[in-house]
Amino acid sequence: MKIVILGAGKMGSFFADVLSFDHEIALYDIDPHRLRFAFNTLRMTRPEEIQDFTPDLVINAATVKYTIEAFQTVLPYLPAHTILSDIASVKTGLPEFYAQARHPFVSTHPMFGPTFANLSDLSTQNTIIITEGDHMGKIFFKDIYQRLRLNIFEYSFKEHDETIAYSLSVPFTSTLVFASIMKHQEAPGTTFKKHMDIARGLLSEDDYLLTEILFNPNTPDQVRGIQKQLSSLLDIIERKDSIKMKEYLTQVRKNIK
């Protein structure tokens, strides 16, 4: 299969490496410096080059801010049979784009990234395949993700957004609250250091990505849940209510089993 990958960032390069021995891969990026270390792939910096390549599949690995723009740039140079695919963690606007693009499409969300995951062992990581999409495209990505030993889940676009509001918005919000009250510690404890590592990793991500995830329409309800729990915990602490604290800790332990 001929595959064009849009964007030579970490995830684009990762997919190029994974696929390059079984498929004919072209890596497209407008910045030639980002293509310097591409291995076993064609390198492209102009969208016109994609037309001559006649890809069967386009994997859009551009940053979430430019996902749709990257598609629009190459769309005029794609044959009608080309399957469009994205791996974006934020799907805002994509269902509408695919509806008018006149191409088969498949949308997935690998829920791991270069910031935290060990890319050599993804057996503990998850990925989502969107149910609305081309059948053969979904089979293609399911095969890739199975070979990477990822845990695969299938959700609609709507279900994806609801899941992400919980699985990303809650830890993102909690981490931002933690980081917002930080001050320098001469002798930080182990738990503090672990939280700081998570905070630094999160804040190294693109601002637009963090903003779009937190602006998910389902996020406010999750944040209100955090506020409610903080209020309950604060009340227990201020009253030094040992019985309520034990009940609270027991419930929390049940939640994470």
Side-chain angles (χ1 to χ4, degrees):
M1 180 182 287
K2 289 185 174 183
I3 302 172
V4 169
I5 298 173
L6 308 181
K10 291 181 180 178
M11 287 302 286
S13 298
F14 171 75
F15 272 90
D17 289 343
V18 167
L19 298 171
S20 63
F21 288 99
D22 298 313
H23 303 277
E24 191 174 347
I25 304 298
L27 192 56
Y28 168 81
D29 199 295
I30 58 174
D31 182 359
H33 292 92
R34 291 162 63 90
L35 297 169
R36 285 179 297 173
F37 305 109
F39 176 71
N40 203 30
T41 67
L42 296 173
R43 307 174 193 186
M44 299 180 177
T45 57
R46 296 181 297 109
E48 294 85 354
E49 297 174 88
I50 295 174
Q51 187 170 28
D52 294 332
F53 186 68
T54 61
D56 303 299
L57 173 69
V58 169
I59 300 177
N60 191 335
T63 57
V64 66
K65 183 177 182 179
Y66 298 108
T67 301
I68 293 177
E69 182 180 329
F71 272 141
Q72 290 171 334
T73 298
V74 303
L75 208 56
Y77 306 98
L78 300 178
H81 74 274
T82 302
I83 300 173
L84 306 179
S85 71
D86 74 90
I87 55 171
S89 54
V90 176
K91 304 299 184 184
T92 304
L94 283 168
E96 295 79 10
F97 170 78
Y98 286 134
Q100 55 81 41
R102 297 183 180 178
H103 279 265
F105 74 90
V106 57
S107 183
T108 74
H109 177 188
M111 296 183 69
F112 61 89
T115 302
F116 295 116
N118 175 9
L119 297 181
S120 64
D121 181 11
L122 297 171
S123 59
T124 62
Q125 303 297 321
N126 303 321
T127 189
I128 294 172
I129 297 177
I130 301 299
T131 53
E132 300 104 323
D134 179 77
H135 177 68
M136 295 307 297
K138 288 188 288 184
I139 289 175
F140 175 82
F141 277 95
K142 186 174 288 187
D143 177 66
I144 295 171
Y145 294 147
Q146 284 174 337
R147 286 193 282 119
L148 291 171
R149 299 174 60 207
L150 287 158
N151 302 298
I152 301 171
F153 299 86
E154 297 193 40
Y155 296 136
S156 66
F157 277 117
K158 182 176 183 294
E159 290 167 336
H160 170 271
D161 288 349
E162 292 170 349
T163 300
I164 295 309
Y166 175 74
S167 63
L168 292 184
S169 296
V170 170
F172 280 20
T173 302
S174 302
T175 300
L176 289 173
V177 170
F178 167 81
S180 69
I181 60 168
M182 282 304 96
K183 59 183 179 181
H184 179 67
Q185 295 284 317
E186 292 292 344
T190 302
T191 302
F192 181 93
K193 288 191 286 187
K194 287 181 178 179
H195 276 282
M196 280 301 293
D197 287 342
I198 292 172
R200 289 191 181 103
L202 177 67
L203 291 167
S204 71
E205 296 286 1
D206 179 73
D207 287 358
Y208 184 86
L209 171 64
L210 298 178
T211 300
E212 287 299 295
I213 287 172
L214 291 172
F215 283 3
N216 182 319
N218 300 285
T219 296
D221 283 343
Q222 302 297 335
V223 176
R224 279 189 281 269
I226 293 173
Q227 286 180 315
K228 181 178 178 181
Q229 289 301 315
L230 282 173
S231 295
S232 297
L233 182 58
L234 178 60
D235 180 63
I236 293 169
I237 292 170
E238 288 180 332
R239 291 190 292 109
K240 295 182 172 60
D241 189 331
S242 299
I243 295 175
K244 287 292 185 182
M245 178 59 78
K246 183 174 179 60
E247 291 175 354
Y248 183 87
L249 294 173
T250 298
Q251 183 58 54
V252 171
R253 289 189 179 103
K254 287 181 181 179
N255 289 349
I256 63 174
K257 282 185 178 179

